Amino acid sequence: MLLAPLLSVGFAASAQAAETIRYVALVDGGRQAGQQLVTRHDDGSVEVDFVFKDNGRGPELKERFSLADDGTFRDYQVSGSSTFGAPVDETFKIADGVARWKSASDEGEQAAMDGAQYSSLGGTPESLSVALGALARRADGKLPLIPGGTLTMRTVETVDIANRQGPQRVQLLALTGVGLTPTFVWATTDEVPRLFAFIVPGWLQLIEDGWQASAADLEQRQIAAEAKVLADLRDRLAHPLAGSLLIRNARVFDSEHARLGEAADVLVRDGRIASISDAGDEDIDADQVLDAGGRVLLPGLFDSHGHVGRWDGGLNLASGVTTVRDMGNDNATLQQLIRDAEAGKLMMPRIVAAGFLEGESDFSARNGFVVSDLDGAREAIDWYAAHGYPQLKIYNSFPKAILKDTVAYAHRRGLRVSGHVPAFLRAQDAIDAGYDEIQHINQLLLNFFVDEDTDTRTLARFYLVADKTAGLDLDSAPVQDFIASLVSHRVVIDPTLATFEFLHQRDGQMSPIVADVAEHLPPDIQRGRRAAEMNIPDAETGERYDRSFAKLVEFVGRAHAAGVPVVAGTDEMVGFTLQRELALYVQAGMTPGEALQTATWNAAEVARVLDDRGSIAVGKRADLVLFDGDPSADIADVRKVAFVLQGDRAYYPSEIHEALGIKPFVAPVRLQAGGR
């Protein structure tokens, strides 16, 4: 999960704020991972220093601005570095009735509008306070945004809290108009409110210093408030099946053999596939009918590398993703998500959980369990085994001295083992230790660029691959021997290629993840997706990074051709990233059918749920996706999702997309009343 997109709305100090306010950034249940200092000067200017570091990365930003009488930015500047080290240098100013701005994404000007607020692209959390204050001054409750859009807010609830200094009343506000889902913010109840806390449940608590003890309570209240919104969304968009469903005249994709079959009729009863017959051969009675009209029917897609959040369900389901393998999450948060999804409280793909296991260090990612010795690792594995986790994921700081014994113990407890390659080791060392699977293309290719002194817990794990892969000879003996080792040990790879396109994306260039669908997305999403994440200082570096990424894609193709099992995962924007991942697999040399196989049969087999889903077969769950096109012939058609069935609930992707502010891709195919 990346910080910048979550904080793209921004935050800032109001006219009634104290001279200096300090916020602390807490992760993993209370560990401080950064801070924000807001200083108001006598001349009316405001300075913000923001630093956040988690998992060896994060932004460092300095912001300075002044406000107009209506509470919006008169001038604004932010500089520093982004999460992955890209330079940040953004400016905005109103002069002579013209608003002018320049960011990593864009540069422009427009006539200044009274009461309009500049929406910073790379700003700190402090610019949210500015938005809150400006909104409070608007009689109509609507804040126009520059370059475009409108922000609104509503009060969800008001809470009284207290610390040693006394009581404080805060309010939970829901902001809409930026992003694909509401942004929830805790603010003061002053006439001109300011930021009090910004919480991402299960991950981040940014809260005013001195109030850390209230953070957990506020998080639980926010979770409950979000749950009500999510339940309403599901009630509106999930269509329960009344009895049996007959899907007529659908060309069924054979995911086991990666090929498209002839037209068939598929009968669904009680959330499972009851029968499959030749189209039109039998007179089948059903309560409801879906006339596929010769369209292509696939088993529900898997995203084999997610970090599930409560708001992910809509985008995933609209993209045909009915199962997500969660590859690292706060254990309590994930367990609650699974319970809520199974209880029908929110839209959510089925979740297959991988237990997260990390070692103790200054770079530790503290999801799951963090251990220092083999006894601690065994206790964590026992907990995961007792809670039905089929797989373990080992992370960057895990102690290399106990790696082999940990893997062996996990295998004895029946768990598969996958993960990153721990620091100061190579991918071959992980294979030799008994890994069943390796996540991420960079973790694989670092095998050729590191030695026992290379600390891959830092940004080096990205920059080494971007810089050096261009010069790697994929025909060389070391590379061929490595691929042969993957094959002989039957090690699965989860490349997340699409996610790693950030290695070569330049400022002003649309992220390849959404480039083909950008016109369907809200303007603020498009703008945010045109900013680089890596520091690419010149054209020569950019061209080298381009060549490196091309070889990453080629490596996956060569590995697949040699017999290395591949599963399709994302670790990025849900839904759209999986579609881009499959397109990259075709670019690597797979047929479209083979690419689809990585997100169906392969994924279900690796997740150990192949007896339940992953193919269209009698007795399996009726997790099905109908496409208005043929992705088995043209992988681009994977974006044309016309109907999604998840057991006993039907979804129309066009409805979900419209609810999220996305222009639909195809017209839905709707259920009809049945009968003989």
Side-chain angles (χ1 to χ4, degrees):
M1 186 178 287
L2 303 181
L3 184 67
L6 289 170
L7 302 183
S8 61
V9 176
F11 307 57
S14 72
Q16 296 182 351
E19 184 178 6
T20 299
I21 298 177
R22 180 174 183 260
Y23 298 86
V24 292
L26 308 175
V27 296
D28 309 316
R31 177 175 63 90
Q32 185 170 334
Q35 69 172 8
Q36 177 172 267
L37 292 175
V38 183
T39 303
R40 180 172 292 281
H41 297 286
D42 293 340
D43 63 0
S45 65
V46 178
E47 285 188 304
V48 185
D49 288 293
F50 178 66
V51 176
F52 179 84
K53 297 293 180 185
D54 186 34
N55 189 17
R57 63 199 184 202
E60 298 184 25
L61 302 170
K62 290 186 178 294
E63 199 171 52
R64 186 180 182 96
F65 58 84
S66 63
L67 303 180
D69 293 340
D70 59 13
T72 62
F73 289 135
R74 176 187 291 115
D75 57 71
Y76 172 89
Q77 180 178 1
V78 61
S79 60
S81 58
S82 70
T83 297
F84 291 95
V88 174
D89 186 7
E90 182 175 359
T91 58
F92 169 81
K93 187 172 184 177
I94 295 178
D96 302 322
V98 179
R100 297 180 174 87
W101 68 92
K102 183 177 181 180
S103 72
S105 173
D106 56 1
E107 179 176 1
E109 63 178 50
Q110 64 185 51
M113 299 180 291
D114 291 340
Q117 166 72 353
Y118 176 66
S119 182
S120 62
L121 183 70
T124 75
E126 190 50 30
S127 36
L128 244 202
S129 286
V130 172
L132 298 179
L135 262 168
R137 293 175 169 91
R138 299 279 301 191
D140 62 359
K142 299 179 180 179
L143 181 65
L145 298 176
I146 300 173
T150 302
L151 195 66
T152 63
M153 71 178 178
R154 66 178 179 88
T155 302
V156 177
E157 69 170 311
T158 302
V159 179
D160 291 313
I161 57 177
N163 66 4
R164 293 179 180 178
Q165 283 69 49
Q168 171 78 53
R169 175 165 288 186
V170 295
Q171 56 185 331
L172 180 62
L173 304 174
L175 302 178
T176 57
V178 174
L180 300 176
T181 59
T183 299
F184 289 85
V185 182
W186 290 96
T188 64
T189 56
D190 303 326
E191 182 179 353
V192 179
R194 63 166 175 80
L195 174 71
F196 180 77
F198 178 74
I199 295 173
V200 181
W203 178 49
L204 170 68
Q205 299 165 337
L206 182 76
I207 191 166
E208 188 174 329
D209 194 18
W211 294 95
Q212 289 91 320
S214 298
D217 177 57
L218 295 180
E219 178 169 339
Q220 290 307 308
R221 289 176 178 273
Q222 182 174 323
I223 288 173
E226 292 188 28
K228 293 178 182 178
V229 179
L230 286 161
D232 176 69
L233 195 65
R234 184 182 187 274
D235 289 344
R236 289 192 290 116
L237 299 174
H239 302 274
L241 290 183
S244 57
L245 166 66
L246 177 62
I247 303 175
R248 283 183 177 153
N249 191 24
R251 297 192 67 193
V252 175
F253 179 72
D254 177 356
S255 59
E256 181 180 5
H257 302 100
R259 63 192 180 205
L260 189 62
E262 298 300 319
D265 291 340
V266 179
L267 180 65
V268 173
R269 185 180 292 116
D270 299 325
R272 294 200 174 261
I273 299 170
S275 68
I276 304 171
S277 56
D278 293 340
D281 276 2
E282 296 183 32
D283 188 14
I284 302 174
D285 188 23
D287 297 293
Q288 292 178 281
V289 171
L290 187 78
D291 186 357
R295 294 177 178 86
V296 172
L297 188 70
L298 261 74
L301 302 178
F302 281 62
D303 182 342
S304 289
H305 196 126
H307 297 277
V308 180
R310 300 177 68 83
W311 290 92
D312 291 350
L315 259 184
N316 266 321
L317 289 167
S319 302
V321 175
T322 58
T323 300
V324 173
R325 185 176 60 163
D326 187 286
M327 295 304 294
N329 217 317
D330 173 74
N331 285 332
T333 298
L334 183 60
Q335 290 294 305
Q336 186 62 53
L337 274 171
I338 292 172
R339 288 193 294 269
D340 288 348
E342 291 177 347
K345 295 180 179 179
L346 71 164
M347 290 191 300
M348 183 62 62
R350 306 184 199 281
I351 299 171
V352 176
F356 192 86
L357 190 56
E358 171 69 304
E360 187 67 61
S361 83
D362 291 340
F363 297 96
S364 298
R366 294 181 177 269
N367 291 326
F369 290 98
V370 180
V371 303
S372 300
D373 54 31
L374 185 58
D375 286 341
R378 287 171 173 164
E379 289 178 9
I381 291 167
D382 288 342
W383 188 92
Y384 287 130
H387 285 80
Y389 285 56
Q391 178 166 329
L392 193 69
K393 179 186 177 184
I394 291 173
Y395 210 60
N396 299 328
S397 291
F398 194 81
K400 65 179 183 179
I402 63 169
L403 182 63
K404 189 169 185 177
D405 289 340
T406 297
V407 173
Y409 186 75
H411 284 159
R412 287 200 297 274
R413 290 307 316 269
L415 277 68
R416 298 179 69 254
V417 178
S418 72
H420 291 202
V421 178
F424 311 113
L425 293 176
R426 298 178 306 126
Q428 185 61 56
D429 298 319
I431 296 170
D432 294 341
Y435 267 40
D436 301 292
E437 179 180 351
I438 296 176
Q439 268 71 51
H440 302 307
I441 190 63
N442 71 320
Q443 297 289 324
L444 290 160
L445 271 295
L446 281 168
N447 187 74
F448 308 106
F449 310 133
V450 302
D451 57 33
E452 61 184 12
D453 296 320
T454 307
D455 192 345
T456 51
R457 296 171 298 183
T458 68
L459 291 179
R461 67 183 186 268
F462 307 110
Y463 281 92
L464 276 173
V465 172
D467 192 59
K468 292 185 175 294
T469 308
L472 182 65
D473 182 1
L474 297 183
D475 290 316
S476 65
V479 175
Q480 292 301 307
D481 289 346
F482 178 63
I483 291 176
S485 182
L486 291 168
V487 173
S488 64
H489 290 87
R490 292 294 295 169
V491 176
V492 177
I493 63 173
D494 165 25
T496 65
L497 278 173
T499 298
F500 280 85
E501 290 192 278
F502 80 84
L503 292 178
H504 68 124
Q505 182 190 351
R506 322 289 211 282
D507 281 339
Q509 178 187 60
M510 184 66 72
S511 165
I513 290 172
V514 298
D516 292 341
V517 298
E519 64 182 19
H520 289 261
L521 302 177
D524 62 288
I525 301 294
Q526 295 183 40
R527 185 171 182 245
R529 288 282 167 169
R530 285 196 298 264
E533 297 187 59
M534 295 280 282
N535 182 13
I536 304 178
D538 51 49
E540 181 181 353
T541 302
E543 290 168 1
R544 183 167 65 256
Y545 286 13
D546 286 342
R547 295 195 302 274
S548 287
F549 184 76
K551 283 198 173 179
L552 299 182
V553 175
E554 184 181 354
F555 177 87
V556 171
R558 286 177 176 235
H560 165 75
V564 177
V566 179
V567 293
T570 61
D571 200 21
E572 231 270 20
M573 184 181 192
V574 298
F576 295 122
T577 306
L578 182 68
Q579 295 168 346
R580 175 60 180 167
E581 184 79 5
L582 298 179
L584 285 170
Y585 291 172
V586 173
Q587 183 178 319
M590 295 186 193
T591 67
E594 289 171 335
L596 294 170
Q597 189 178 50
T598 69
T600 51
W601 183 274
N602 290 10
E605 185 175 39
V606 168
R608 295 181 173 174
V609 294
L610 187 57
D611 62 337
D612 186 62
R613 67 203 93 144
S615 66
I616 299 176
V618 173
K620 290 196 175 185
R621 287 190 189 271
D623 288 358
L624 304 168
V625 187
L626 188 69
F627 293 87
D628 194 5
D630 183 2
S632 70
D634 182 353
I635 199 64
D637 283 353
V638 78
R639 301 190 186 277
K640 299 177 180 179
V641 184
F643 175 84
V644 177
L645 184 64
Q646 186 187 33
D648 60 358
R649 291 290 185 274
Y651 295 93
Y652 303 119
S654 60
E655 289 184 349
I656 297 175
H657 284 143
E658 286 176 345
L660 299 178
I662 297 170
K663 179 183 174 183
F665 293 86
V666 295
V669 177
R670 295 188 179 275
L671 297 171
Q672 302 170 357
R676 186 172 295 277

